Amino acid sequence: MNKKDLPIGIFDSGAGGLTVLKEIKKILPSEDIVYLGDTAHLPYGAKSKSTIIKLSISNILFLLEKKVKLIIVACNSTSSVALPLIKNFFGVPILGVVEAGVEAVLDRKAKRIGIIGTSATIGSMSYQNLIKKRRPKAKIIAASCPLFVPLVEEGWVDSSVTELVAKTYLKGFKGKVDLLILGCTHYPLLKKVISKVLDKTELIDSAEEVATKTRDILKKSNLLKSKKRGKISFFLTDNSPVFPKLAELVLKRKFKPTVVSNI
Ligand code: DGL
């Protein structure tokens, strides 16, 4: 098989990574995609570094068995905590959402930068350190917003409860940041509510950014598949009632995932 025709692998702790898959499909419609959601071990955002590393390695090995040409780590918690330590050991390019999000920030002039994510992402200082390294004078405000993930998984993306939670979490950002990084797979689904609360703040969607970066890397390595519409295969490590809900919300389609064991 021509290497160009091999699929792209995407993994996430669960269904949240569908926001990344959606962006990949938008700009690379011909690519085949293998998506793995580690629903047996969700959520990653509250787990320790060593657990996230172990689970990430299992996910990567699973995708390598599917002969993927490139792996996208859709999960911000994994991209923050595990990826810098393990990404060079598997013989295929592995891209995370954090670096892509930071590059998008650096493309803009803003000096007052907000970051929101899970406790693992914010606690790792991944976004903060990468931005500070490249723009030392940047003023950064970061906060974890743990309730956002369950609210999205409940489908409450546009409810008054979610707006109240957003107002509470984002109080410290109002008038103090020019842009806000949505540093979690689930947060792009809350763009409407977040924009309502922080009306003059540009929202940076790491999912969109990693999609553009993927296209650039595949193009540069002459690995873009250009013919036919690509197909998507979904694998989960446990049954998940959330997956069909989010698949409909994000992709506007129903999918039938295959349940597998990744360890
Ligand atoms: N996928 C995770 C992230 O982007 C959110 C859900 C979880 O905590 O596993 O950080």
Side-chain angles (χ1 to χ4, degrees):
M1 192 189 220
N2 190 326
K3 209 172 167 197
K4 283 183 184 184
D5 295 329
L6 295 175
I8 293 174
I10 302 179
F11 81 85
D12 179 48
S13 53
L18 295 176
T19 55
V20 173
L21 182 141
K22 180 183 164 200
E23 298 304 328
I24 297 285
K25 274 318 265 181
K26 219 191 263 174
I27 67 165
L28 296 169
S30 305
E31 297 293 336
D32 292 332
I33 295 176
V34 179
Y35 181 97
L36 173 66
D38 188 13
T39 39
H41 302 104
L42 180 87
Y44 281 17
K47 293 214 163 39
S48 68
K49 186 171 176 170
S50 60
T51 301
I52 297 177
I53 290 175
K54 247 187 285 177
L55 295 171
S56 306
I57 292 174
S58 303
N59 295 337
I60 291 171
L61 294 178
F62 176 88
L63 291 173
L64 289 178
E65 268 180 32
K66 300 284 172 206
K67 306 257 179 295
V68 296
K69 60 184 170 191
L70 174 145
I71 293 175
I72 300 168
V73 181
C75 180
N76 281 261
S77 305
T78 307
S79 299
S80 295
V81 168
L83 204 56
L85 298 167
I86 61 175
K87 69 175 176 190
N88 294 326
F89 297 115
F90 298 94
V92 295
I94 305 185
L95 305 184
V97 274
V98 172
E99 282 180 11
V102 168
E103 270 167 37
V105 168
L106 297 171
D107 285 345
R108 284 136 173 106
K109 295 241 150 31
K111 292 211 177 72
R112 305 182 312 159
I113 295 155
I115 308 160
I116 52 174
T118 64
S119 305
T121 297
I122 299 303
S124 73
M125 301 290 288
S126 59
Y127 279 106
Q128 297 92 312
N129 288 341
L130 276 177
I131 294 170
K132 275 280 176 201
K133 210 158 124 192
R134 306 266 300 275
R135 191 170 290 166
K137 290 210 173 109
K139 284 204 165 47
I140 299 176
I141 305 179
S144 59
C145 307
L147 289 177
F148 278 169
V149 167
L151 283 167
V152 169
E153 301 207 332
E154 201 52 40
W156 292 10
V157 291
D158 203 7
S159 84
S160 51
V161 174
T162 309
E163 199 176 322
L164 188 64
V165 172
K167 270 187 186 147
T168 310
Y169 278 144
L170 301 175
K171 215 188 309 174
F173 293 84
K174 212 163 167 59
K176 299 210 175 84
V177 294
D178 308 307
L179 56 82
L180 180 73
I181 302 177
L182 305 177
C184 174
T185 44
H186 293 57
Y187 299 178
L189 289 162
L190 298 176
K191 269 183 190 167
K192 206 164 144 198
V193 166
I194 295 173
S195 304
K196 231 178 184 176
V197 177
L198 297 179
D199 51 352
K200 291 196 183 71
T201 307
E202 183 184 5
L203 304 183
I204 302 287
D205 182 345
S206 302
E208 284 171 15
E209 304 305 333
V210 82
T212 316
K213 202 167 167 193
T214 302
R215 184 189 51 202
D216 294 348
I217 288 186
L218 289 179
K219 202 169 173 188
K220 221 167 153 185
S221 341
N222 201 20
L223 283 178
L224 275 178
K225 176 171 174 261
S226 51
K227 279 172 261 147
K228 287 202 304 208
R229 199 164 173 81
K231 61 175 195 301
I232 315 176
S233 319
F234 290 103
F235 296 93
L236 300 180
T237 56
D238 200 356
N239 273 317
S240 157
V242 168
F243 184 84
K245 252 201 270 179
L246 279 196
E248 266 211 272
L249 195 65
V250 179
L251 304 171
K252 316 281 181 243
R253 276 175 67 185
K254 286 189 170 56
F255 289 98
K256 233 185 155 11
T258 306
V259 175
V260 293
S261 168
N262 66 336
I263 33 179

